[in-house]
Amino acid sequence: MKIAEVFSVRRRRCAASSSSSSYPRARAPRARAPVWPSVACLSLAACAAPAQLEGSERAIALYREARAAEAQAEAQARGGAGHGAGRRAAPGELTADEAVALAKERSATLAMMRAREDKARARVDADAAGTYRNPEVRFSQLRLDQVLDHEPRFAAGVRIRPPRPGEAGAAADVARADVDVARAETRVSELELEAEVRWLFDDVLLLDAEIEALEAVAATRRRLADQERARVNAAQGTAVDEAMAALSAAVAEEDGAAPRARREVARAALLERVGLDPAAPVRLVGEPAASAPLVALASEEALIEAALRNRPEIALAAAEIDAAGAEGALARATRWPWLSFIELGYEFSPATRDPLGWTLEAGLELPLFDTRASEIAAADAGAIAAQRALAAEVQRVAREVRDRLRAARAAGVLVEEFRARALPAVERAGVEVARALDSRQIDAVRALSLEERRAAAQVKLLKLVREYRTALAELRIAVGGPVDGRAPAARR
């Protein structure tokens, strides 16, 4: 029920309650009310602006519209009628680059930041044009006594207010600095989204490999428990050995539960960011986590220069310097005398001889009371602060890149050393166990124990690979782009 209807119902209830009173009331003669106030009220109500919704109500309405569009698209996809404007049809396979592209295409945050950038870009010409005020047509008054004396005088003119030299350019420079700030903020959002999507993608692949390795460990421990049970039944083992083997198998089963849950959460978050149904059967395509080669990192100087070229914080600090310089130039342009207006007119009177009635007027602004000294000092101080902020950002970015590069190199060394020392020993142990089993030189229980250690070594390798991938992702974020030696300065 609308608010006006609620008030109308309340008025009718109040009128009914007052008319149903038990006290007698004298009936007064009823005067006819005029019609025009009602008509005027109806006209004003029709022309009134509709009530605006609160911010929370608008947000809830947008969310419900998005959910309805997604539900309609899913229903159409199940019915074989294609997909609508909600979530797109799920592909069979998805790579990391495709996931990043789809996430950027769907991101409402990036759409908002690009709209702000377009708005700031549109303000450049608007602020420059705002310094040119529209001309003003002026008319002088016509006095009655002059008309009665047969000497009417009437003057008309066009007045313009010329901008100061460099004022339009300085205003445009200030607006361009705002464009640079908006572009840098958009870049920040893009980097954050890309880093999040790539990390979720790598996390799912790493968890898949970790789950596979943990399942191998659990399967080996289950077989070991079965062998211990068979030995107890054959009176060759003890119940303690059987209980310990069963406990070890149960612990191995529980060890794989947490990675499975994390994998489902990461996969659902990834698919939701790219606009797909979290339950869609999409296969993520990437390099094998355990055997993928390490990235050939660029040199430290190349990565630092790439970060200084790509990082949005540097662009923001540089934009602040440009804005402070433009504001200082604009303040200095107003400290000198300048024409406040120029007016070209014509005076009409009986004594005027054509075309000798033209007039020219001009005003000169003298900055005696307001010399703009405070504005110039503030702009100069802002420029110095912006330059020091840029120097601080350069130092901070360089230090961050060095720290992330050291961490990535150290994690890579651990992976390489483990691959070089542990993996050959694991392979050799597998060959020797198989040979000993063929020649009956080792029992099944001991062979399964060695097989469990081989699977545990694979789990250890995957943990080292995860640490390396994490360090590599942090280095990529610090650089703001690729970190390999082929194209370290390329901006993505």
Side-chain angles (χ1 to χ4, degrees):
M1 185 178 293
K2 296 182 180 179
I3 297 177
E5 295 176 356
V6 173
F7 287 160
S8 178
V9 171
R10 290 182 178 177
R11 291 193 192 97
R12 289 198 298 270
R13 289 177 179 174
C14 292
S17 62
S18 61
S19 62
S20 62
S21 175
S22 61
Y23 294 98
R25 306 179 68 179
R27 184 180 296 275
R30 185 175 181 179
R32 177 173 293 180
V35 180
W36 64 269
S38 301
V39 176
C41 291
L42 290 175
S43 301
L44 291 176
C47 297
Q52 297 290 336
L53 296 176
E54 295 183 358
S56 58
E57 296 296 332
R58 296 181 187 179
I60 293 174
L62 288 174
Y63 173 74
R64 290 175 177 174
E65 290 178 2
R67 293 292 298 172
E70 292 176 359
Q72 182 181 3
E74 292 175 1
Q76 291 178 354
R78 287 193 299 267
H83 58 281
R87 287 172 176 162
R88 55 175 57 89
E93 296 180 349
L94 186 67
T95 63
D97 294 335
E98 293 173 350
V100 171
L102 292 176
K104 288 183 179 180
E105 178 184 350
R106 188 179 183 272
S107 174
T109 302
L110 287 184
M112 176 195 68
M113 301 304 296
R114 293 191 182 104
R116 288 184 178 179
E117 186 177 347
D118 294 338
K119 177 183 176 182
R121 192 176 293 107
R123 292 298 305 174
V124 175
D125 296 335
D127 291 350
T131 58
Y132 298 93
R133 298 182 58 182
N134 292 326
E136 178 183 353
V137 179
R138 300 175 60 87
F139 301 95
S140 65
Q141 63 182 357
L142 184 63
R143 293 173 53 181
L144 183 59
D145 57 348
Q146 294 176 352
V147 175
L148 295 178
D149 294 340
H150 303 286
E151 293 182 358
R153 294 178 179 273
F154 179 77
V158 177
R159 175 177 292 187
I160 60 174
R161 292 176 174 83
R164 292 177 177 271
E167 184 178 359
D173 291 339
V174 173
R176 290 190 188 96
D178 294 337
V179 174
D180 295 336
V181 171
R183 187 183 299 113
E185 292 175 349
T186 304
R187 178 65 178 164
V188 170
S189 300
E190 288 182 354
L191 288 176
E192 291 177 352
L193 179 61
E194 181 175 355
E196 184 181 12
V197 171
R198 289 189 180 277
W199 170 243
L200 288 173
F201 195 95
D202 291 342
D203 196 24
V204 172
L205 294 181
L206 286 170
L207 287 171
D208 286 338
E210 186 175 348
I211 291 170
E212 182 180 357
L214 290 174
E215 287 178 351
V217 173
T220 303
R221 290 185 179 180
R222 285 194 300 268
R223 294 198 304 269
L224 184 59
D226 294 338
Q227 289 293 332
E228 289 292 346
R229 190 178 304 110
R231 291 184 62 192
V232 170
N233 294 334
Q236 297 179 357
T238 63
V240 175
D241 295 335
E242 180 187 0
M244 292 299 296
L247 178 60
S248 179
V251 170
E253 292 288 345
E254 292 299 325
D255 289 342
R260 290 189 188 93
R262 286 162 45 199
R263 191 253 186 197
E264 293 300 324
V265 172
R267 186 178 183 278
L270 173 64
L271 294 183
E272 186 176 2
R273 278 159 179 76
V274 300
L276 300 177
D277 186 3
V282 181
R283 189 173 70 90
L284 304 184
V285 179
E287 295 181 345
S291 60
L294 299 184
V295 177
L297 299 176
S299 63
E300 179 180 309
E301 294 299 325
L303 290 177
I304 291 176
E305 291 181 2
L308 296 178
R309 190 177 297 108
N310 297 337
R311 288 287 290 269
E313 297 91 334
I314 302 299
L316 283 172
E320 292 294 334
I321 294 177
D322 297 338
E327 291 174 358
L330 186 60
R332 287 183 175 85
T334 58
R335 69 182 304 180
W336 302 103
W338 185 247
L339 296 172
S340 58
F341 72 92
I342 299 176
E343 182 176 338
L344 178 64
Y346 194 87
E347 183 176 352
F348 301 90
S349 67
T352 302
R353 293 180 300 172
D354 293 332
L356 302 179
W358 293 100
T359 60
L360 179 64
E361 297 183 21
L364 186 64
E365 180 184 359
L366 300 177
L368 299 178
F369 302 105
D370 185 9
T371 60
R372 308 286 181 174
S374 58
E375 295 182 7
I376 294 174
D380 293 341
I384 295 175
Q387 291 175 357
R388 292 180 179 176
L390 177 60
E393 285 294 334
V394 170
Q395 184 179 9
R396 185 185 65 84
V397 169
R399 182 170 57 249
E400 182 179 358
V401 171
R402 291 192 187 98
D403 294 341
R404 302 306 182 194
L405 180 60
R406 294 190 193 101
R409 287 175 175 173
V413 168
L414 292 178
V415 173
E416 286 293 335
E417 289 181 352
F418 191 88
R419 286 176 176 176
R421 291 184 300 181
L423 291 186
V426 168
E427 295 297 331
R428 186 171 60 254
V431 173
E432 294 297 334
V433 167
R435 185 180 302 170
L437 284 174
D438 293 338
S439 61
R440 299 183 181 274
Q441 296 178 358
I442 188 174
D443 58 356
V445 174
R446 189 176 179 187
L448 288 174
S449 300
L450 294 175
E451 187 68 22
E452 178 190 358
R453 293 183 182 180
R454 292 180 65 244
Q458 187 71 14
V459 174
K460 174 64 176 178
L461 173 61
L462 289 173
K463 291 182 179 180
L464 294 176
V465 171
R466 171 179 289 276
E467 294 177 359
Y468 171 70
R469 292 287 184 91
T470 302
L472 198 64
E474 293 176 352
L475 177 61
R476 189 181 294 111
I477 294 174
V479 175
V483 296
D484 56 342
R486 293 173 295 178
R491 187 167 184 170
R492 303 187 358 175

